[in-house]
């Protein structure tokens, strides 16, 4: 992968007391074996001996262990949370790897060899040379219907997914539509029912036939699963109530994008709001390319400055 | 009785819980369209027998064979677990005494009936709902309740829903454990009437466990009388009830008459 | 002006500086030393070592200091450190029968070989705030009187005594040389065997186990417990180096052990007899080991053919929710941004509301 000026070189001093990327090599090998198994059986949740990470459970420990096991010195890492590179948790995880693995990091999707994400699939397309690592809070799509682990595993083993369909039936009967807006269940390779993690269902279609390897790590629940490149991923639905993604009446107020997932930004306490791309890098790139949205340029610049200021400041400090 | 191969064949079935022999050395055949009543007082081993027959409790000894649509008579405990589970939700039905065990109490009536269809791959909401409506009306339920959860239903309604939920895949064999237990007498009568009609109309085969001889007389073609885990008398229902041979059967029948 | 909720690296660094300042507190006062924590907050150190799964008083004291006395946070720090440590091997099982006992009590027998040894305990203190401890000059150097005779060296375990009569189940040392489950290396599997269950309980949150143990006493899975024996003291840790081929002592650890004795009516395979519940913890953690023993016994329902009806008997429920590092992380992860999902839900609610309002409008017409 080409290096460019967008990439932030790793912090000069990395922690000496710990192994490269924190985990010991034995553990990384164990995790890589689990990843291989997961790739071989797309959508199947492979139990793994998850380690305690120095970040709390539920904050991305599964994704971090997967990333730590596959990352090497030549990799370039991008970390996003809610689609944005500059949310606290994303910054923190990126900092962790810069500190323990001395790898380059980037905010540019197509420059990254590994993208670790929480709750979004980037808007920009990804390639066969990239890996997308998801942080997973609850890997079991059946859990809300069947709390027993033993029974859930049987349902997967025997491909008994009627109950999942019943829950969708119930939604339509009650609400007239399938009232699941994120963590929307999918069938992988026509075999395993899989939770796509709490990404909005807007992102589900991107997973289907995705060129990049998709890896999923659940630290607390100690499961790893995977979708190999170009695998069929189908969102559950009914023939007469087909799967639909979210749509907005507005475009992005900053870059004018029409087909992205939008965050609602509250402007005042009188109902004033605007919509902006949740994928911060995608939006910034479009603005650089000259696209603009409904927000006057001056206001957009002020907003972008407020959001990006801290990151810029840190970057500036580092360069000095 | 037809001479073709039976739908269900049971040979020397026994089941023990530790030292306690719950049912012992039971053999019989059930033919297509036949309704068998298993009667006896509580503790006689009827429910254990029913659980063994319906692939939900592996017997300690003996063989239970069922005439699978694609394979003919097959030892059900030689089937793999997923095959048995599949059989249980397609070609078989199990109506539990307590509707709580046989229904999803938090899922709507329509969803309860539709579950089996969805489990075998139905993916058209309108058709599933149509099918659910048709079965709810067959069991004489108010279609206005299709989106209500059974936890708000009366006992009799819950039982009718359980029956609809089982029949939706057009099973050939139904197992029922005290289907009218715990219901008021008037509700019982209506349910029995409904069951009798359905069994005839759909040419169902059924095994019904009950301590209530009135239920047995109304529904069963043949009876098996159990005491202490053993079958003490079998025969056509009228024969057994009108002319009981075994002293225990005589006692059972006379105690009913006294009521 | 709209202020972005998105925080940057600088904000995080500043938060860390702030917490460091708060941790230090008023700089007029001397800074707390690790030795002070280790020596004067021993029970906190013991709990952190037990649930942190690492026997190291210095590191536990450091973790407590770093966490400002938040023990769950300290346990987390110790766990995260522990996971990076290299493993040299497994020690021999410790033998608590050979413990150098400092405290040993049995609620099942009035007197027994070795006698009752009250040892250090808050049990019979009157819970009155002791203002002497608040005095400027402190408490000086309190000294306990030395006993007239030494503690009996022969201190058989109560359960071993019952064993001679065959009244208590044998602790079946099955598969002695087989590997012991280790859930820090392998994920939990269900149904879980007792080795994995006990490890989970030993690491489990004291408060959670206490509540569960208590629930069994109040009737949610009653199994008539007697505190057969609780003992506290030092045991030797032995290790067999490959090059030597025999066990050498590499040190000693302080442990608390609790053996609960429970009634059992018998089943098809077993005669009526007493059964056991077991608890063990690093250091002095009596409440923890007793609660652990109650829950261990409750979780044996499946093995003993008892009906499983209550939370404490339900192994998936207990084992999946006992770990406070997991629980604390997941509960607190709700602080992380969820605005993509929230936005999705907003969209959905708006759509459902539109449909609802339309339906009502139609109905009204």
């Amino acid at each position: 992968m080409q290096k460019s000026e967008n990439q932030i070189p790793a912090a000069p001093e990395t922690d000496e007391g710990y192994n490269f990327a924190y985990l010991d090599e034995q553990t990384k090998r164990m995790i890589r074996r689990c990843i291989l198994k997961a790739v071989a059986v797309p959508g199947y949740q492979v139990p793994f001996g998850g380690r305690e990470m120095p970040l709390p459970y539920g904050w991305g420990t599964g994704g971090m262990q997967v990333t730590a096991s596959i990352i090497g010195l030549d990799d370039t890492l991008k970390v996003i949370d809610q689609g944005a590179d500059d949310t606290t948790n994303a910054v923190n995880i990126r900092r962790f790897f810069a500190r323990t693995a001395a790898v380059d990091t980037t905010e540019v999707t197509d420059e990254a060899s590994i993208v670790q994400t929480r709750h979004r699939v980037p808007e920009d397309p990804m390639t066969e040379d990239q890996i997308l690592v998801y942080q997973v809070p609850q890997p079991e799509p059946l859990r809300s219907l069947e709390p027993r682990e033993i029974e859930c595993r049987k349902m997967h083993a025997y491909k008994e997914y009627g109950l999942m369909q019943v829950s969708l039936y119930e939604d339509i009967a009650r609400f007239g539509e399938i009232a699941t807006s994120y963590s929307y269940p999918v069938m992988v390779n026509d075999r395993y029912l899989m939770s796509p993690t709490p990404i909005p269902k807007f992102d589900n279609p991107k997973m289907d036939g995705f060129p990049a390897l998709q890896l999923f790590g659940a630290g607390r629940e100690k499961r790893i699963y995977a979708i190999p490149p170009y695998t069929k991923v189908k969102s559950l639905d009914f023939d007469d109530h087909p799967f639909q993604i979210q749509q907005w009446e507005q475009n992005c107020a900053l870059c004018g994008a029409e087909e992205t997932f939008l965050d609602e930004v509250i402007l005042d306490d009188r109902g004033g709001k605007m919509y902006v791309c949740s994928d911060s890098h995608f939006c910034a790139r479009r603005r650089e390319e000259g696209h603009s949205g409904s927000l006057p340029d001056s206001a957009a610049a002020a907003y972008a400055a407020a959001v990006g200021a801290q990151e810029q400041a840190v970057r500036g400090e580092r360069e000095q | 009785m037809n001479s073709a191969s039976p739908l269900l064949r049971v040979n020397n079935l026994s089941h023990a819980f530790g030292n306690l022999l719950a049912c012992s050395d039971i053999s019989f055949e059930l033919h297509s369209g036949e309704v068998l009543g298993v009667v006896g007082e509580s503790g006689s081993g009827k429910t254990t027998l029913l659980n063994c027959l319906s692939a939900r409790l592996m017997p300690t000894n003996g063989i239970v064979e069922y005439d699978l649509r694609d394979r003919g008579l097959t030892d059900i405990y030689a089937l793999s677990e997923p095959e048995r589970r599949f059989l249980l939700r397609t070609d078989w039905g199990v109506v539990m005494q307590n509707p709580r065990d046989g229904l999803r109490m938090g899922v709507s009536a329509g969803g309860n009936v539709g579950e089996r269809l969805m489990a075998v791959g139905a993916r058209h909401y309108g058709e599933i709902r149509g099918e659910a409506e048709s079965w709810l009306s067959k069991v004489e339920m108010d279609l206005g309740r299709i989106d209500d959860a059974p936890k708000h239903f009366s006992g009799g309604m819950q039982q009718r829903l359980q029956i609809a939920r089982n029949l939706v895949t057009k099973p050939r064999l139904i197992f029922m454990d005290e289907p009218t237990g715990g219901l008021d007498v008037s509700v019982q009568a209506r349910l029995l009437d409904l069951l009798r009609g359905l069994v005839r109309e759909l040419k169902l085969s059924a095994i019904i466990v009950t301590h209530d001889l009135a239920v047995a007389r109304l529904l069963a073609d043949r009876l098996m009388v159990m005491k202490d885990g053993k079958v003490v008398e079998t025969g056509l229902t009228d024969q057994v009830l009108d002319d009981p041979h075994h002293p225990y059967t005589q006692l059972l029948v006379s105690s009913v008459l006294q009521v | 002006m709209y202020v972005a909720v998105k925080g940057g690296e600088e904000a995080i660094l500043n938060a860390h500086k702030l917490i460091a300042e708060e941790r230090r507190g008023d700089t007029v006062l001397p800074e707390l030393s690790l030795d002070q924590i280790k020596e004067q907050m021993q029970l906190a150190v013991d709990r952190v070592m037990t649930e942190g799964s690492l026997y190291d008083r210095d590191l536990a004291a450091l973790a407590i200091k770093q966490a400002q006395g938040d023990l769950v946070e300290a346990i987390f720090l110790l766990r995260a450190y522990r996971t990076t440590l290299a493993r040299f091997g497994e020690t021999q099982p410790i033998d608590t029968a050979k413990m150098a006992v400092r405290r040993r009590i049995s609620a099942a027998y009035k007197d027994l070989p070795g006698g009752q040894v009250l040892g250090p305990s808050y049990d019979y203190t009157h819970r009155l705030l002791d203002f002497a401890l608040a005095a400027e000059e402190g408490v000086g150097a309190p000294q306990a009187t030395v006993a007239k005779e030494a503690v009996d060296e022969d201190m058989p375990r109560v359960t071993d005594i019952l064993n001679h009569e065959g009244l208590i189940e044998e602790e079946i040392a099955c598969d002695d040389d087989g590997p012991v489950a280790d859930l820090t290396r392998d994920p939990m599997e269900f149904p879980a065997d007792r080795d994995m269950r006990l490890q989970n309980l030993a690491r489990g949150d004291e408060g959670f186990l206490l509540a569960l143990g208590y629930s069994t006493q109040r009737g949610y899975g009653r199994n008539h417990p007697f505190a057969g024996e609780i003992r506290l003291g030092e045991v030797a840790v032995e290790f067999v180096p490959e090059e030597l081929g025999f066990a050498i002592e590499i040190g000693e650890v302080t442990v608390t052990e609790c053996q609960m004795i429970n009634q059992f009516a018998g089943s098809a395979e077993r005669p009526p007899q007493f059964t056991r519940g077991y608890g063990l913890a690093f250091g002095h953690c009596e409440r923890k080991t007793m609660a652990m023993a109650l829950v261990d016994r409750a979780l044996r329902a499946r093995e003993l053919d008892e009906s499983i009806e209550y939370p404490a008997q339900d192994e998936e429920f207990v084992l999946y929710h006992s770990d406070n590092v997991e629980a604390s992380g997941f509960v607190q992860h709700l602080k992380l941004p969820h605005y993509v999902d929230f936005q999705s839900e907003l969209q959905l609610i708006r759509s459902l509301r539109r449909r609802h309002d339309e339906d009502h409008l139609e109905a009204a017409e």
Side-chain angles (χ1 to χ4, degrees), chain C residues 226-258:
Chain C
F226 296 94
E229 182 176 337
I230 294 156
R231 55 169 65 196
L232 160 73
E234 282 65 42
V235 291
V237 178
E238 293 183 331
F239 183 70
V240 182
E242 238 171 79
E243 52 274 37
L244 286 182
F246 55 86
I248 53 164
E249 190 177 321
I250 55 171
E252 62 175 29
V253 293
T254 304
V255 295
T256 310
E257 181 186 58
C258 171

Side-chain angles (χ1 to χ4, degrees), chain C residues 308-322:
Chain C
I308 297 173
E309 295 167 45
Y310 301 107
Q313 299 171 311
D314 180 332
E315 64 177 17
E316 284 201 27
F317 179 81
V318 174
L319 302 186
Y320 268 131
H321 301 113
S322 63

Side-chain angles (χ1 to χ4, degrees), chain B residues 3-50:
Chain B
S3 56
S5 95
L7 192 62
L8 189 78
R9 184 162 69 196
V10 182
N11 264 320
N12 306 103
L13 184 147
S14 300
H15 189 78
F17 296 104
N19 297 329
L20 183 80
L21 202 56
C23 51
S24 162
D25 204 23
I26 293 169
S27 303
F28 69 91
E29 289 183 351
L30 181 82
H31 286 264
S32 180
E34 196 182 8
V35 178
L36 175 72
V38 180
V39 297
E41 55 202 352
S42 59
S44 61
K46 318 185 289 286
T47 296
T48 302
L49 174 65
L50 194 79

Side-chain angles (χ1 to χ4, degrees), chain A residues 2-319:
Chain A
Q2 281 261 301
K3 306 258 169 183
S4 82
E5 72 277 13
N6 289 315
Q7 280 160 272
I8 302 162
E13 78 282 21
T14 50
D15 277 7
E16 296 295 326
Y18 294 97
N19 192 37
F20 178 79
Y22 188 75
L23 293 175
D24 59 283
E25 295 305 313
Q26 200 70 18
T27 298
K28 289 187 202 171
R29 264 196 294 277
M30 176 272 292
I31 294 176
R32 284 195 293 265
R33 279 198 295 271
C34 291
I35 292 174
L36 286 175
K37 187 169 178 182
V39 170
V41 193
Y44 169 71
Q45 300 166 46
V46 181
F48 83 111
R51 298 294 190 255
E52 258 126 355
M53 296 298 280
L55 260 69
Y57 283 113
W59 297 53
T61 56
M64 286 168 71
Q65 290 180 74
V66 169
T67 299
S69 305
I70 58 173
I71 204 164
L73 276 170
D74 297 336
D75 278 305
T76 303
L77 179 68
K78 172 182 163 85
V79 183
I80 52 173
D81 188 338
Q82 315 293 305
D85 297 87
D86 56 0
T87 39
T88 39
N89 200 43
V91 169
N92 202 27
I93 291 173
R94 196 163 57 233
R95 232 162 48 92
F96 174 81
F97 281 110
R99 190 171 159 183
T100 60
V103 293
D104 294 346
T105 58
T106 183
E107 296 188 3
V108 181
T109 305
D110 62 11
E111 280 178 1
S113 55
I114 300 172
V115 178
Q116 181 171 329
T117 179
R118 176 167 172 266
H119 294 196
R120 275 311 308 277
V121 178
E123 304 285 3
D124 275 326
M126 289 179 67
T127 68
E128 292 169 12
D129 297 327
Q130 296 176 295
I131 297 176
L132 182 58
V133 177
Y134 295 78
Q135 302 171 200
V136 183
Q138 176 50 264
E140 182 50 75
L142 298 166
R143 182 67 76 236
S144 56
L145 306 168
E146 173 54 66
R148 309 270 132 189
E149 173 68 9
I150 292 175
E151 185 59 20
C152 283
R153 289 185 69 100
K154 277 187 181 172
M155 290 159 85
H156 284 296
Y158 306 156
K159 204 180 170 189
E160 290 179 0
Y161 296 137
L163 190 56
M164 187 80 240
Q165 204 73 25
V166 170
S167 78
L168 303 185
Y169 170 97
E170 291 290 287
D171 274 359
I172 300 176
R174 191 173 316 152
F175 304 116
E177 63 182 280
I178 296 171
T180 302
S181 59
Y182 61 94
S183 293
Y184 191 105
V186 294
M187 280 299 282
V188 177
N189 203 26
D190 292 322
R191 176 58 185 84
Y192 281 99
L193 181 72
M194 191 196 90
S195 166
T197 83
I199 59 170
K201 65 178 180 178
F202 179 89
D203 286 338
N204 274 24
K206 295 181 195 164
M207 298 182 127
D208 183 30
F210 199 61
L213 171 62
Q214 302 175 75
L215 299 177
F216 300 78
R220 194 176 40 81
E221 299 280 342
K222 300 182 175 54
R223 296 287 185 273
I224 286 173
Y225 52 102
I227 304 175
Y230 304 111
T231 302
K232 180 178 170 191
V233 177
K234 186 180 184 312
S235 303
L236 296 190
D237 61 2
F238 287 98
D239 299 346
D240 48 345
H241 285 265
F243 173 76
Q244 284 177 327
I245 60 170
Q246 290 107 331
Q247 282 171 336
W248 283 261
E249 286 159 15
Q250 304 81 353
N251 300 336
C252 171
L254 300 178
C255 78
E258 291 169 11
E259 287 172 352
T260 57
F261 188 92
L262 299 176
D263 276 345
E264 188 169 318
V265 177
I266 307 292
L267 295 172
D268 52 44
D269 56 4
R270 297 177 305 278
K273 59 192 171 201
M274 66 173 179
Y275 290 86
V276 299
C277 291
S278 112
D279 186 332
S280 60
H281 160 70
F282 178 86
C283 192
R285 198 199 67 222
R286 277 178 53 87
R287 289 198 306 274
E288 273 168 31
E289 289 166 3
H291 297 279
S292 62
S294 56
L295 203 64
D297 282 350
S298 56
Y303 172 80
V307 171
Q310 291 165 334
E311 196 65 5
Q312 290 291 340
V314 172
R315 218 182 289 181
E317 255 171 44
R318 212 182 259 152
E319 278 157 13

